[in-house]
Every structure is written in C-alpha cells, then in structure tokens.
Amino acid sequence: MLSPFASPNRGGVETHIDALIAALARRNIWVTLLTHQPLVAPVQAPSHEALANGEVIRIPWFGRGWHPRIEPYAPLVFAYLVPGLLVGAVRHRFRHTIGFDVIHAHGLAAAVAALGMRWTGARQRIVVSMHAIYDLRQRRVLAQGVRSLLGRADRVLTVSEASRQELLAIGLDPDRVTAHQHWVDLDVFRPRSQAEARRRLGWPESAPTCLFVGRLLRKKGVGIVLDLARRLPDVQFRMLGAEGDMGAEVAQASATYPNLTLMTDPAGAPAQRLDTIATIYAAADVLLVPSQYEEAAGIVVLEGSAAGTPIVASNLGGLREAVTADIGRLVEPSAEAFMTALRELLSERADLAALSRRARAAAERRFSERNADVIVRQYGFDADNGGADGDRA
C-alpha cells in the first residue's frame, strides 16, 4: 500500500487508510504501508512500525509544513510528493520481489510510484484509489495526464459516484472503475447521552452547539463557520481542526468571540483518542460541513451520522450522495444558507432528536465495515472468506 500521507497526519485519507488496514486485518490480509514521514503533523514517527497485520515503512522527506502552503498549486504538490515515494517504492520492489500480491496506491502521486514498481518488473495487480474530484472537465491537460496514468492501473476505486463519473467522462473504462462508500467503526461512533458527553468535555449543558471537524482550510468553509459565530452569538461553535491556511485566523477569532472555541486534537492512545472524538460528536447538536469545493467524500459525515449528530452540509460533490434527508440537510455553500438551516433545526428540538435517531439508523445501513468488501474484491481476493493465508497488499 502506497500513500504520501498516513497517520499520524490527520485527514480523510489518513482516517480511511487506518480503517482499511484494520478491516484487512480482520480478513487475514497482510499489509506493508509505504508512506512519507509526517509532512503536516509536527511529529517524528518511527521509520518502521509494526502493525497487527504487517508494517508501516516511513520514508524520510524534507519540507515538513510545506504542503499546506503549496497545496493550492497542483504541479508543485505533485513534484514535491512523487520523488521520495517513487524511490521508496522502487527500492522496496527490489528488496521484496515476490513478497506481495497487490499494489494499492492512494492518490495520483502514489499511482506514479506504483507504476514505477511495474516499470522495474513488478507484475502484481495495481489498484488506485482516488480520494478527490479534480474538475477534469475544465482542465484538459490534467485530464489527459490522469487518463494516461490511471489507464495503466488494473483497477481504479473512487469514494463516490460523482468521482467515478468524472473519470468515466475523460474516457476510462467503466468496467475497471468502481465506486465505494467509506465506513466507520459503529461501536466507537455511536449515540451517547448528550448531557453526559457535555459534562465529560466541560461544555455548557443547555447551550445550542454546532461542531466543525476538519482541516482549517478556506476551501473547507472555515470562513463560513467564523461568520456564523459572529452572527449567532447565542450558539456555541466548536472547531476540532488540523492545521491549515486559516489556522491563525481561527485562533484570533476564538480569542475574539466568546461563543467560538478551537479545540486541540485529543491526546492519548489511538483508541482513547477516537473515543474522545466520538464523544465530541455526540455532545454537539449539529455538525457543519460547509465545504466550498467538490469534495469526493466526507468521512466526518459518516462519523457524525453514526454518532447520531444531524448534519448541515454544502450541496457539492460527493456530499450530495452522503447527506441524505435521513442524515441532515444540504444547502448552498453560503453563510446565509447555513444560518437559515441552523435556525430552523435548533428551533425544533423534537424534530432535531428525531433526525438524530434517523441519522444513526442510516449509518447502520450505509456506513458499516461491509463496504470494505468492495475494495477486497478489487484486489482479486475472496471478500466473503477473507484473504487466503499470506495474501498481501
């Protein structure tokens, strides 16, 4: 498995990879994950780390903290991410010629590294996961490059039908492009007593509270959250955000608005951290997902609905598929639209409680680990019986 980003970085791709490796372990599939040393999180991770079903190999790379600054410039990001991962993947291929059955690349940079392994003689199946929508219909040069790159993969996975349709529109073979939905641990992310959750976190028990979870990026709609905090002083806004281009602005706003709180990432072991995050979801009345771009998917939607937290989200990209009427509301990606939806939801507590119950039921139907079977089948393994002894990705 190849990815430029993985834990302890925080984000949707990283969360998905953690969940996927855990799901593969329960299916007796062994994984070697090749990734960079954390490029965003201000930590140094072990260069080799044992997993229950394999290992993580982290490739040393320069420029920690660069990625958030160059993220708006796709060519720079590509030039920055590819070389280290490519060299690490090719080196691993020479050291372990027959030690794996499948190469699973997450994203375009990882796809180049996977093909580098093939160009040096690896014959294993290549599966590429696409975690973003690239607006390829309007970017012809990029579309040609993506079509050429992904056309060399054996299978392509997308995290929403919207992303799949974008790839089909540029000419990829529909028989080799499969959409799947993410999943969450429904035992961790579950409804809890809101009063008890708030007492545990030290939140006011009676105040209407909205939650934002995600990187503190302008394109994630952080500016809308700040605007809402300014215009709705009687509503509490809690932001659990990883570093992004609006980090300093959010810190300043949280010092200015009494109803806006920027929370730090929960500490502790992974299980303890996830339990705290799940408690934060359960303590909120509404989860805000005000993305300003076509997101392929939003794992926060799955986590929030599993915890029984109703959602107000932008009607863009894969969010249109994830946020159905039994989970929450889709609105235009503007502060006015979000404010109107919030006022309506928070004014009818009985309706909000009923929506909370429907959100959990929807998560049980749609967001369980059964969704991982789609990926396992693209590997060529038996999803019903798990991997054969020794199957490796």
Side-chain angles (χ1 to χ4, degrees):
M1 193 175 292
L2 304 170
S3 176
F5 298 102
S7 295
N9 280 319
R10 305 298 187 201
V13 174
E14 295 88 337
T15 299
H16 170 64
I17 289 174
D18 287 345
L20 176 56
I21 290 175
L24 296 180
R26 286 185 279 274
R27 290 158 174 80
N28 195 31
I29 298 172
W30 286 73
V31 176
T32 294
L33 170 63
L34 271 67
T35 185
H36 285 125
Q37 274 287 342
L39 299 178
V40 179
V43 296
Q44 182 77 14
S47 58
H48 287 77
E49 181 178 350
L51 301 172
N53 59 320
E55 63 178 340
V56 181
I57 300 174
R58 295 186 176 90
I59 302 161
W61 202 234
F62 63 93
R64 181 185 297 165
W66 285 17
H67 185 262
R69 296 196 295 270
I70 67 174
E71 193 167 11
Y73 311 102
L76 282 179
V77 172
F78 199 68
Y80 174 53
L81 296 180
V82 167
L85 201 60
L86 176 60
V87 170
V90 170
R91 182 172 58 188
H92 187 79
R93 173 260 181 278
F94 281 122
R95 291 179 176 177
H96 305 276
T97 305
I98 58 173
F100 48 93
D101 303 295
V102 178
I103 304 169
H104 186 175
H106 293 270
L108 295 176
V112 173
L115 290 172
M117 299 176 79
R118 174 164 289 176
W119 293 329
T120 56
R123 293 292 176 262
Q124 287 83 356
R125 174 181 293 211
I126 293 177
V127 177
V128 178
S129 283
M130 298 290 285
H131 296 275
I133 292 175
Y134 291 93
D135 194 21
L136 297 176
R137 294 176 180 86
Q138 309 300 323
R139 305 165 76 180
R140 294 184 179 180
V141 174
L142 178 60
Q144 291 174 358
V146 170
R147 182 172 60 245
S148 175
L149 180 62
L150 298 184
R152 291 170 167 79
D154 296 286
R155 295 288 187 274
V156 178
L157 289 159
T158 66
V159 294
S160 65
E161 183 60 27
S163 177
R164 180 176 182 270
Q165 290 301 322
E166 178 181 55
L167 298 183
L168 298 187
I170 65 170
L172 289 187
D173 180 356
D175 291 335
R176 294 192 300 109
V177 184
T178 302
H180 72 89
Q181 180 60 266
H182 284 316
W183 64 92
V184 293
D185 189 329
L186 296 174
D187 293 327
V188 174
F189 292 92
R190 66 184 190 277
R192 309 172 187 220
S193 164
Q194 187 180 80
E196 290 180 8
R198 290 189 176 188
R199 282 195 293 270
R200 173 180 167 183
L201 297 169
W203 294 10
E205 289 192 22
S206 60
T209 302
C210 296
L211 176 67
F212 171 89
V213 179
R215 293 180 61 194
L216 300 178
L217 296 169
R218 192 169 305 278
K219 68 179 185 178
K220 290 286 188 181
V222 169
I224 286 181
V225 180
L226 301 188
D227 198 14
L228 291 173
R230 178 180 61 83
R231 298 168 70 177
L232 298 172
D234 294 333
V235 177
Q236 292 291 314
F237 291 86
R238 305 276 174 167
M239 303 185 72
L240 179 60
E243 186 56 46
D245 57 19
M246 290 194 69
E249 209 169 320
V250 172
Q252 182 178 359
S254 66
T256 303
Y257 304 139
N259 62 326
L260 177 66
T261 303
L262 176 60
M263 298 179 289
T264 58
D265 191 56
Q272 180 183 359
R273 175 182 174 274
L274 279 182
D275 184 71
T276 301
I277 292 174
T279 302
I280 290 171
Y281 278 109
D285 292 303
V286 178
L287 174 67
L288 302 176
V289 190
S291 302
Q292 301 295 288
Y293 70 110
E294 300 271 342
E295 281 203 76
I299 288 180
V300 295
V301 169
L302 282 61
E303 294 174 342
S305 62
T309 307
I311 295 158
V312 180
S314 298
N315 57 355
L316 298 173
L319 294 175
R320 288 194 295 261
E321 301 169 35
V323 183
T324 52
D326 49 2
I327 285 176
R329 296 189 181 183
L330 288 169
V331 300
E332 293 296 318
S334 68
E336 288 294 339
F338 271 81
M339 186 165 64
T340 299
L342 278 184
R343 282 175 169 165
E344 291 175 356
L345 283 174
L346 294 175
S347 66
E348 297 292 341
R349 304 299 296 188
D351 291 346
L352 194 64
L355 183 56
S356 173
R357 292 190 293 272
R358 294 199 300 272
R360 171 63 187 191
E364 291 174 353
R365 291 194 309 271
R366 299 171 54 202
F367 305 143
S368 77
E369 195 181 286
R370 292 188 301 270
N371 295 346
D373 291 341
V374 177
I375 299 175
V376 173
R377 284 193 286 268
Q378 302 313 304
Y379 290 166
F381 301 159
D382 187 343
D384 294 326
N385 297 320
D389 187 27
D391 283 344
R392 293 176 181 269

